[in-house]
Amino acid sequence: MELSGPIVLSDNRYGKAENRIVRVYRDSSRHEIRDVNVSTVLRGDFAEAYTAGDQSKVLPTDTQKQTAYAYAKLAGPQPIEDYALALGRHLVDKTGPVDSARIEVEEYAWQRVSVAGTPHDHTWTRLGPEVRTATVTVAGRGAEQRAWVIGGVKDLVILKSTGSEFVDFLVDEFTILEPTSDRMLATSLVAQWRFAAAEGIDWDAAYAGIRQRLVEVFATQHSKALQQTLFEMGKAALEAYPFLAEVRLAAPNKHHFDFDLGRFGIENAGEVYHADDRPYGLIHATVARADAPDPGPAWAA
Amino acid sequence: MELSGPIVLSDNRYGKAENRIVRVYRDSSRHEIRDVNVSTVLRGDFAEAYTAGDQSKVLPTDTQKQTAYAYAKLAGPQPIEDYALALGRHLVDKTGPVDSARIEVEEYAWQRVSVAGTPHDHTWTRLGPEVRTATVTVAGRGAEQRAWVIGGVKDLVILKSTGSEFVDFLVDEFTILEPTSDRMLATSLVAQWRFAAAEGIDWDAAYAGIRQRLVEVFATQHSKALQQTLFEMGKAALEAYPFLAEVRLAAPNKHHFDFDLGRFGIENAGEVYHADDRPYGLIHATVARADAPDPGPAWAA
Amino acid sequence: MELSGPIVLSDNRYGKAENRIVRVYRDSSRHEIRDVNVSTVLRGDFAEAYTAGDQSKVLPTDTQKQTAYAYAKLAGPQPIEDYALALGRHLVDKTGPVDSARIEVEEYAWQRVSVAGTPHDHTWTRLGPEVRTATVTVAGRGAEQRAWVIGGVKDLVILKSTGSEFVDFLVDEFTILEPTSDRMLATSLVAQWRFAAAEGIDWDAAYAGIRQRLVEVFATQHSKALQQTLFEMGKAALEAYPFLAEVRLAAPNKHHFDFDLGRFGIENAGEVYHADDRPYGLIHATVARADAPDPGPAWAA
Amino acid sequence: MELSGPIVLSDNRYGKAENRIVRVYRDSSRHEIRDVNVSTVLRGDFAEAYTAGDQSKVLPTDTQKQTAYAYAKLAGPQPIEDYALALGRHLVDKTGPVDSARIEVEEYAWQRVSVAGTPHDHTWTRLGPEVRTATVTVAGRGAEQRAWVIGGVKDLVILKSTGSEFVDFLVDEFTILEPTSDRMLATSLVAQWRFAAAEGIDWDAAYAGIRQRLVEVFATQHSKALQQTLFEMGKAALEAYPFLAEVRLAAPNKHHFDFDLGRFGIENAGEVYHADDRPYGLIHATVARADAPDPGPAWAA
């Protein structure tokens, strides 16, 4: 098949990725800290930069960086959803050629150090591996302006040592897997939840509550497959928070294989496992309210 | 905004990620090697696994792994586009509940070792960092079956020490960047090209030729911005290969900053740079033929 | 300078690295979990394997792997110091050609999930980034056998937002750094402590207590330089635990630079920082008791 | 065992790690590029900085950074061994409290882009994964000054698809490995070679020649074990270059396992392998001339 039509720029976007901003609040001797990784993405009237090398409508990525740091003082970054909304609105409102701005934030957690049993005023240790995320899209100006907020968590590594089975699956000529009624189940969860609105929400409370629901259901739901567990997790979050429109979950099945000690005369009743690296199952699920508002550009990368 | 509609599974997919397959062709004493990382993704009638824990339609990810390794013998993996097509067709044809299969392949290059000037029969060193990629989607059975092929390269790190400028850009209150008429330009390119057809193409020749066009244009096109360079690269590939429907490019601007040696009385006329890590500009461009066929599910993750 | 002496094997060692072992204790419905990465290193009479290809004295690395997993049931891996001692002693006692065995263990922490306020019986989330380490060397057999134990922590990321200065340093022609009386101080600490004995110690209590002393001193000691902070940290651990012979600390100075917002008319009084990636200062200190016993092979990689 | 002796600083060093310097030579329109990662480490009279917070003898790590970039213009970084010698000598000669300086350099390779068959003047692509290394130590001043040079290569990934066996090894109760007369052998080599002198050597030619000898022996030597292969590689380098004192090799055994396709009725005669991640064998060998000069501090980290 040979094509001969004109060659066009059919899509484009640009921004500054991974601004590593640390913000200290030092209004009193008891400091607070917020540690974020901020990326900006702009869409708009930039075609001439691509097709003709004309930069007159291009706000430099360095300027986006400066703005991201400035807004860490002017508007946050606490909580990250509000910071991203403020930064996104600025970029759209003040930059003529911009149609929409997407702000992606990762937040790294820090835990106050305890000294002789008392939390210290200005020292923390990093707490991980899990990372809180927010992705905010702002489009349009004035009365037309709309915003979409997606919260999330990633690298939430969670494991249950029982309460998981995998049986009665489809079998074909290449199937050698044995069914199992009791296996270890572990994943490094990425979850993103789309809010039905961009305001009127206590973002920090929502984050804590949704994360808690996800974790609780993983723990307590007997798992017939990681698929089922993910669906129930998303469902529980939606049930608990009517301001959520949908939850997207991606979960690698981090396989832990029973290590064969029987050949050495050593019993291994689900006690010694090999944590394998690759390959791994990878399961995706999107759970949504049937009456969720249209996502618009919320999920556009 | 409070939602109260029923909670539904609105999307799902699953598969086995990162099967690390190495294939040796040893028909003669002069061996050949292909080194790939294969991921499978299935879409289809799997809702019951999520909503009811019913695995009867679920082909285990372990089975997908076995199949990926088996097809490395049965159909490749040389070239990776044909291997992915064969594997995808098998998964769709032989598995009732499957509507479509997506096969993602990364191929790592090896260079034959030279011994006393002669290429050795069975020893190679890895050549990188760039990686060849293929993403194939097969949907439907029988006469309805369709396939989409996307080729690509990633981690292609390329740099030019002159022939790049950035001037006359938009300026606002947060703009401190100075225009420059001669800067270093470097990126770690990710490029993906969608073929207009899934057969009748010499995949290896296409890969080599498209990669070469991308690199040549990066080298020879005077750059007024990375945006312009990307567009011209994609355009050149499309012009050279009428069987291409579109090219998607993502390019971090790997900043190299002139290091200030003047304060030490040392001249630095574009000679000593600091290669910075973060943040970095990130530019995306999609260049397409206006008469390109509809991509269908080709780009669906 | 031209050398002409005979070519000899002057040193050698070998082993199996990164056995990823997960151990579940399920004596009751309340499970316990230990998650470790175990490497074995053997030294001994292996020269013929190198110089003549004679494997008759070589215990395969696969055997070392099997043994590491078996000992996860037979002797641990709880606490990791005792597990490493048992595994090391087995390898030395049962393998004729082995002179010494070195066992390196990393332990990843898991936190029990809380469900409705109650710790769950069999579900955990990973807690990081810090990792507990142990390095045990066992040499000799029978009455001649000796063992050395090194405990440690790595990737302990710690930050203080004030209480750190850097002034009155040496200045030369390339010095442009300004002294500062109040800066952020952050590092990703690697600390290793050598025990004076290999038994009679509550390893878990020692780990918790030493880690706590390190963290407390980092928090409370006003820092004139990272060097001083490290010395005081090591000194405090030694003072608190007379069974410690020495403490080795390695600390990257994870630079956080004040971001210049003044040019935008925005005050930044130690509030907004850029967390830089590279380069970074890197400080090493060894703090020891003057009467520490000889380390022997304890630190030999 | 309880210790009660005084607590002392028994060792220390500090420096600036990972200065990412790119140097362009633009004397003509045909540019040259050298891309390096430079770390400096100083030893000397710095105890007061640790024990008393006195910085008066401490050359800031920022100054070391400035100096590393300045010397990229003043003395290189081409070849990296000479650059490291010049930088090390400066730091020792000009800084009173410094006893010795250690300079570690990694060099990343770039390949000139070919445009229509002609090498381009100022555009390159990165070539990897292998990295050339140099570690130079300079100690003392004036007539007492001495220098040690270690060259090397790391991340040299090399594989042979036949010509490797592993049989007749030691067997114990935990040995289940089957002997094999034909296996794939692969590693990611780290090799370091100590030069007997610090001058009078063509560093670039030595690097190319030693790397070539290592690779050739890996290819052509029938391997009875990775141990034997490493010894023969080091021996060949020493034989070819009488200015070498010793060669240190570290080699993970990157296991490639035959994938069992027989259960599907598919023959797999050494054709389809699974490239495993962890665990891996890890073999170390040091091969030296018996009349090698004393290494002094050359290998001290």
Side-chain angles (χ1 to χ4, degrees):
Chain A
M1 183 188 226
E2 302 237 329
L3 303 176
S4 57
I7 294 171
V8 297
L9 179 74
S10 60
D11 193 24
N12 74 87
R13 63 185 187 278
Y14 82 106
K16 195 70 149 195
E18 300 209 41
N19 296 282
R20 286 288 293 109
I21 305 174
V22 175
R23 172 75 158 97
V24 176
Y25 298 85
R26 46 203 309 164
D27 306 318
S28 75
S29 62
R30 185 178 175 83
H31 293 186
E32 300 288 340
I33 191 170
R34 299 287 265 205
D35 181 4
V36 293
N37 194 13
V38 179
S39 299
T40 61
V41 184
L42 302 183
R43 291 175 178 273
D45 183 14
F46 307 123
E48 296 284 301
Y50 290 84
T51 58
D54 178 353
Q55 312 307 318
S56 61
K57 293 179 180 169
V58 171
L59 189 71
T61 65
D62 184 75
T63 301
Q64 298 176 43
K65 165 188 165 182
Q66 305 294 334
T67 310
Y69 282 85
Y71 267 74
K73 175 68 189 292
L74 299 175
Q78 185 168 322
I80 55 175
E81 290 84 357
D82 280 336
Y83 164 76
L85 283 164
L87 177 57
R89 284 174 177 142
H90 169 90
L91 288 168
V92 172
D93 290 344
K94 299 295 179 62
T95 319
V98 171
D99 293 335
S100 70
R102 179 181 174 89
I103 313 296
E104 301 169 348
V105 185
E106 297 182 342
E107 180 176 8
Y108 309 119
W110 291 84
Q111 182 174 47
R112 206 173 279 276
V113 159
S114 181
V115 175
T118 303
H120 194 261
D121 272 354
H122 58 255
T123 308
W124 303 263
T125 50
R126 259 284 274 132
L127 203 61
E130 66 191 78
V131 171
R132 177 175 169 180
T133 63
T135 306
V136 166
T137 305
V138 177
R141 267 173 286 270
E144 304 296 309
Q145 189 166 83
R146 287 204 50 194
W148 294 263
V149 178
I150 295 169
V153 65
K154 69 174 192 181
D155 303 339
L156 173 58
V157 181
I158 188 165
L159 176 152
K160 61 195 298 183
S161 54
T162 189
S164 167
E165 62 176 64
F166 190 60
V167 300
D168 296 333
F169 41 77
L170 190 60
V171 169
D172 74 0
E173 63 184 306
F174 291 115
T175 301
I176 57 168
L177 185 73
E178 298 288 337
T180 175
S181 61
D182 187 8
R183 63 171 185 175
M184 185 175 282
L185 185 66
T187 190
S188 176
L189 184 71
V190 181
Q192 290 185 289
W193 41 89
R194 177 162 62 93
F195 292 95
E199 50 191 35
I201 292 166
D202 181 337
W203 306 113
D204 286 346
Y207 176 77
I210 295 165
R211 183 201 175 282
Q212 180 62 17
R213 287 306 294 140
L214 297 175
V215 163
E216 284 179 350
V217 173
F218 184 92
T220 58
Q221 161 87 23
H222 179 82
S223 176
K224 290 188 169 178
L226 185 47
Q227 282 90 327
Q228 184 196 25
T229 300
L230 293 181
F231 178 75
E232 294 298 331
M233 290 164 73
K235 183 159 166 276
L238 288 165
E239 284 172 344
Y241 296 97
F243 51 65
L244 292 184
E246 62 172 314
V247 180
R248 296 191 175 186
L249 304 119
N253 195 337
K254 294 173 74 78
H255 304 304
H256 288 71
F257 296 117
D258 278 299
F259 200 86
D260 182 3
L261 297 178
R263 51 193 169 194
F264 308 126
I266 300 171
E267 189 189 27
N268 180 16
E271 296 160 291
V272 177
Y273 296 86
H274 169 63
D276 207 42
D277 293 302
R278 294 189 293 183
Y280 48 91
L282 184 54
I283 318 295
H284 288 82
T286 302
V287 190
R289 282 280 182 191
D291 57 344
D294 187 84
W299 296 106
Chain B
M1 183 187 226
E2 303 237 329
L3 303 175
S4 57
I7 294 171
V8 297
L9 179 74
S10 60
D11 193 24
N12 74 86
R13 64 185 187 276
Y14 81 106
K16 196 69 150 193
E18 302 209 41
N19 295 283
R20 287 287 292 109
I21 306 173
V22 175
R23 172 76 157 97
V24 175
Y25 298 86
R26 46 203 308 163
D27 306 318
S28 75
S29 63
R30 184 178 175 84
H31 294 186
E32 300 288 339
I33 191 170
R34 298 287 266 206
D35 181 3
V36 293
N37 194 12
V38 178
S39 299
T40 60
V41 184
L42 302 183
R43 291 175 179 273
D45 182 14
F46 307 123
E48 296 285 300
Y50 291 83
T51 59
D54 178 352
Q55 312 305 322
S56 61
K57 295 179 180 170
V58 170
L59 190 71
T61 66
D62 183 76
T63 302
Q64 298 175 45
K65 165 187 163 182
Q66 305 294 335
T67 312
Y69 282 85
Y71 267 74
K73 175 70 190 289
L74 299 175
Q78 184 169 324
I80 55 175
E81 290 85 356
D82 281 337
Y83 164 75
L85 282 164
L87 177 57
R89 283 173 178 141
H90 168 89
L91 288 168
V92 171
D93 290 345
K94 298 296 179 62
T95 320
V98 170
D99 293 335
S100 70
R102 178 182 174 90
I103 313 296
E104 301 169 349
V105 185
E106 298 182 341
E107 182 177 6
Y108 310 118
W110 292 85
Q111 182 174 45
R112 207 173 278 275
V113 159
S114 181
V115 174
T118 302
H120 194 262
D121 272 353
H122 58 255
T123 308
W124 303 263
T125 51
R126 258 284 275 131
L127 203 62
E130 68 193 78
V131 172
R132 176 175 171 180
T133 63
T135 305
V136 166
T137 305
V138 177
R141 267 173 288 270
E144 304 295 309
Q145 190 166 82
R146 287 205 49 195
W148 296 263
V149 179
I150 296 169
V153 64
K154 70 174 191 179
D155 303 338
L156 173 58
V157 181
I158 188 166
L159 176 152
K160 61 195 297 185
S161 54
T162 189
S164 166
E165 63 176 64
F166 190 60
V167 300
D168 297 334
F169 42 77
L170 189 62
V171 169
D172 74 359
E173 62 184 307
F174 290 116
T175 302
I176 57 169
L177 185 74
E178 298 287 338
T180 176
S181 61
D182 187 8
R183 64 170 184 174
M184 183 174 284
L185 185 67
T187 189
S188 177
L189 185 71
V190 181
Q192 290 185 287
W193 42 87
R194 177 163 61 93
F195 293 94
E199 50 192 32
I201 292 166
D202 180 337
W203 305 113
D204 286 346
Y207 176 78
I210 294 165
R211 183 201 174 283
Q212 180 62 17
R213 287 306 294 137
L214 296 175
V215 163
E216 285 180 349
V217 173
F218 184 92
T220 57
Q221 160 88 23
H222 179 82
S223 175
K224 291 188 169 177
L226 185 47
Q227 282 91 326
Q228 185 196 24
T229 300
L230 293 181
F231 177 75
E232 295 298 332
M233 290 164 73
K235 184 162 167 273
L238 288 164
E239 284 173 345
Y241 295 97
F243 51 64
L244 292 185
E246 62 173 315
V247 180
R248 296 192 174 185
L249 303 119
N253 195 335
K254 294 173 75 77
H255 304 303
H256 288 71
F257 297 117
D258 278 299
F259 200 85
D260 182 3
L261 297 177
R263 50 193 168 193
F264 307 126
I266 301 170
E267 189 187 28
N268 180 16
E271 296 161 291
V272 177
Y273 296 85
H274 170 64
D276 207 41
D277 293 301
R278 294 188 294 183
Y280 49 91
L282 184 54
I283 317 296
H284 288 83
T286 302
V287 190
R289 283 280 181 192
D291 58 344
D294 186 84
W299 296 105
Chain C
M1 182 187 231
E2 303 236 329
L3 303 176
S4 56
I7 294 171
V8 296
L9 178 74
S10 59
D11 193 25
N12 74 87
R13 63 186 187 277
Y14 82 106
K16 195 69 149 194
E18 301 208 40
N19 295 283
R20 287 287 292 109
I21 305 173
V22 175
R23 171 75 157 96
V24 175
Y25 298 85
R26 44 203 309 163
D27 307 318
S28 75
S29 63
R30 184 178 176 84
H31 294 185
E32 300 288 339
I33 191 170
R34 298 287 266 205
D35 181 3
V36 294
N37 194 12
V38 179
S39 299
T40 60
V41 184
L42 303 183
R43 291 175 178 272
D45 183 14
F46 307 123
E48 295 285 301
Y50 290 84
T51 58
D54 177 351
Q55 311 306 320
S56 61
K57 295 179 179 169
V58 171
L59 190 72
T61 65
D62 184 74
T63 302
Q64 299 175 43
K65 165 187 164 181
Q66 304 294 335
T67 311
Y69 282 84
Y71 266 74
K73 175 69 190 292
L74 299 175
Q78 185 168 324
I80 55 175
E81 290 84 356
D82 280 337
Y83 164 75
L85 282 164
L87 177 57
R89 283 174 179 142
H90 169 89
L91 288 167
V92 172
D93 290 344
K94 299 295 179 62
T95 320
V98 171
D99 293 334
S100 71
R102 179 181 173 89
I103 312 297
E104 300 170 349
V105 185
E106 297 182 341
E107 181 176 7
Y108 309 118
W110 291 85
Q111 182 174 48
R112 207 173 278 276
V113 159
S114 181
V115 175
T118 302
H120 194 262
D121 272 354
H122 58 256
T123 308
W124 303 262
T125 51
R126 260 283 276 131
L127 203 61
E130 67 191 78
V131 172
R132 177 175 170 180
T133 63
T135 306
V136 166
T137 306
V138 177
R141 266 174 288 270
E144 303 295 309
Q145 189 166 82
R146 287 204 52 194
W148 294 263
V149 178
I150 295 169
V153 65
K154 69 176 191 177
D155 303 340
L156 173 59
V157 181
I158 188 166
L159 175 152
K160 61 195 296 185
S161 55
T162 189
S164 167
E165 62 176 64
F166 191 59
V167 300
D168 297 335
F169 41 76
L170 190 61
V171 169
D172 73 0
E173 65 186 303
F174 290 115
T175 302
I176 57 169
L177 185 74
E178 297 288 338
T180 175
S181 61
D182 188 8
R183 63 172 184 174
M184 185 175 283
L185 185 66
T187 190
S188 177
L189 185 71
V190 181
Q192 289 184 290
W193 41 88
R194 176 163 62 94
F195 291 95
E199 50 192 34
I201 292 165
D202 181 337
W203 305 113
D204 286 346
Y207 176 77
I210 294 165
R211 184 201 174 283
Q212 181 62 18
R213 287 307 293 140
L214 296 175
V215 164
E216 285 180 348
V217 172
F218 184 92
T220 57
Q221 161 88 23
H222 179 82
S223 175
K224 291 188 168 178
L226 185 47
Q227 281 90 327
Q228 185 196 24
T229 300
L230 293 181
F231 178 74
E232 295 297 333
M233 290 164 72
K235 183 159 167 274
L238 288 165
E239 284 173 345
Y241 295 97
F243 51 64
L244 292 185
E246 62 173 315
V247 180
R248 296 190 175 187
L249 303 118
N253 194 337
K254 294 173 74 78
H255 303 304
H256 288 72
F257 296 117
D258 279 299
F259 200 86
D260 182 3
L261 298 177
R263 51 194 169 193
F264 308 127
I266 300 171
E267 190 188 27
N268 180 16
E271 296 161 292
V272 177
Y273 296 85
H274 170 63
D276 207 41
D277 293 302
R278 294 189 293 182
Y280 49 90
L282 185 53
I283 318 295
H284 288 83
T286 301
V287 190
R289 283 281 182 189
D291 58 344
D294 187 83
W299 297 106
Chain D
M1 184 187 226
E2 303 236 328
L3 303 176
S4 57
I7 294 171
V8 297
L9 178 74
S10 60
D11 194 24
N12 75 86
R13 64 186 187 275
Y14 82 106
K16 196 70 149 194
E18 301 209 43
N19 295 283
R20 286 289 292 109
I21 306 174
V22 174
R23 172 76 158 96
V24 175
Y25 298 86
R26 46 203 307 163
D27 307 318
S28 75
S29 62
R30 184 178 176 83
H31 293 187
E32 300 288 339
I33 190 169
R34 298 288 264 207
D35 181 4
V36 293
N37 194 12
V38 179
S39 299
T40 60
V41 184
L42 302 183
R43 291 175 179 273
D45 183 13
F46 307 123
E48 295 285 301
Y50 290 83
T51 58
D54 178 352
Q55 311 307 320
S56 61
K57 294 179 179 169
V58 171
L59 190 72
T61 64
D62 184 76
T63 301
Q64 299 174 45
K65 166 187 164 182
Q66 304 294 333
T67 311
Y69 282 85
Y71 267 74
K73 175 69 189 291
L74 299 176
Q78 186 169 326
I80 55 175
E81 291 84 356
D82 281 336
Y83 164 76
L85 282 164
L87 176 58
R89 284 173 177 141
H90 168 89
L91 287 168
V92 172
D93 290 344
K94 298 297 178 63
T95 319
V98 171
D99 293 334
S100 71
R102 179 180 172 89
I103 312 297
E104 301 170 348
V105 186
E106 297 182 341
E107 182 176 8
Y108 309 119
W110 291 85
Q111 181 174 47
R112 208 173 278 276
V113 159
S114 181
V115 175
T118 303
H120 194 262
D121 271 354
H122 59 255
T123 307
W124 303 264
T125 50
R126 259 284 274 132
L127 203 62
E130 68 191 77
V131 172
R132 176 174 171 181
T133 63
T135 305
V136 166
T137 305
V138 177
R141 267 174 286 270
E144 304 295 309
Q145 190 166 82
R146 289 205 49 195
W148 295 263
V149 178
I150 296 169
V153 65
K154 68 175 192 179
D155 303 340
L156 172 58
V157 181
I158 187 165
L159 176 152
K160 62 196 297 183
S161 55
T162 190
S164 167
E165 63 176 64
F166 190 61
V167 300
D168 296 334
F169 41 77
L170 190 61
V171 169
D172 73 0
E173 63 185 305
F174 291 115
T175 301
I176 56 169
L177 186 73
E178 297 288 337
T180 176
S181 61
D182 188 8
R183 63 171 184 175
M184 184 175 284
L185 185 66
T187 190
S188 176
L189 184 71
V190 181
Q192 290 186 288
W193 42 87
R194 177 163 62 92
F195 291 95
E199 50 193 31
I201 292 166
D202 180 337
W203 306 113
D204 286 345
Y207 176 78
I210 295 165
R211 182 201 175 283
Q212 180 62 16
R213 287 306 294 137
L214 297 175
V215 164
E216 284 180 349
V217 173
F218 184 93
T220 57
Q221 161 87 23
H222 179 83
S223 176
K224 291 189 169 177
L226 185 47
Q227 281 90 327
Q228 184 195 25
T229 301
L230 293 182
F231 177 75
E232 294 298 331
M233 290 164 73
K235 182 161 167 274
L238 288 165
E239 284 173 345
Y241 296 97
F243 51 64
L244 292 185
E246 62 173 316
V247 180
R248 296 190 175 187
L249 304 117
N253 196 336
K254 294 172 74 78
H255 304 304
H256 288 70
F257 297 117
D258 278 300
F259 200 85
D260 182 3
L261 298 177
R263 51 194 168 194
F264 308 126
I266 300 171
E267 190 189 27
N268 180 16
E271 296 161 291
V272 177
Y273 297 86
H274 169 64
D276 206 41
D277 292 302
R278 294 189 292 184
Y280 48 91
L282 184 55
I283 317 295
H284 288 83
T286 301
V287 190
R289 282 280 181 190
D291 58 344
D294 186 83
W299 296 105

